[in-house]
Amino acid sequence: MDKEYSVSDEIDIDIENICRRKRREKIGVCIQCGYTVFDDENAAKINANGEIVHNECWEEYASQNAREFLTAI
């Protein structure tokens, strides 16, 4: 059977924990745009050089630095 709640029921809410933002941690600097990359952003590590790049910056970086990723035949 479902428990019914009335308006007078008190619910413990820790306002400080609700309002506190998750602490963002810096994981590096984007090699393309130069802005800080935080752990909650969409970013990746480039295997060819170990640098970090925002996903939004990847296409431009790869096109400007194709020699890092391609081998002439």
Side-chain angles (χ1 to χ4, degrees):
M1 186 173 197
D2 291 336
K3 183 178 177 182
E4 291 186 29
Y5 294 95
S6 69
V7 176
S8 63
D9 287 336
E10 287 190 35
I11 301 172
D12 267 341
I13 298 177
D14 186 351
I15 299 298
E16 185 177 337
N17 284 335
I18 292 173
C19 294
R20 187 182 307 155
R21 287 186 171 179
K22 178 185 169 198
R23 185 167 184 257
R24 298 173 72 192
E25 296 207 22
K26 177 182 172 181
I27 58 173
V29 175
C30 178
I31 193 164
Q32 180 62 27
C33 69
Y35 288 108
T36 301
V37 178
F38 292 96
D39 61 351
D40 62 346
E41 295 180 314
N42 291 326
K45 181 178 177 183
I46 302 169
N47 290 331
N49 60 15
E51 296 291 340
I52 296 172
V53 65
H54 289 111
N55 289 350
E56 300 85 27
C57 298
W58 167 246
E59 190 174 334
E60 184 177 359
Y61 179 80
S63 67
Q64 292 176 357
N65 299 280
R67 284 187 229 135
E68 279 187 58
F69 310 105
L70 305 174
T71 303
I73 53 171

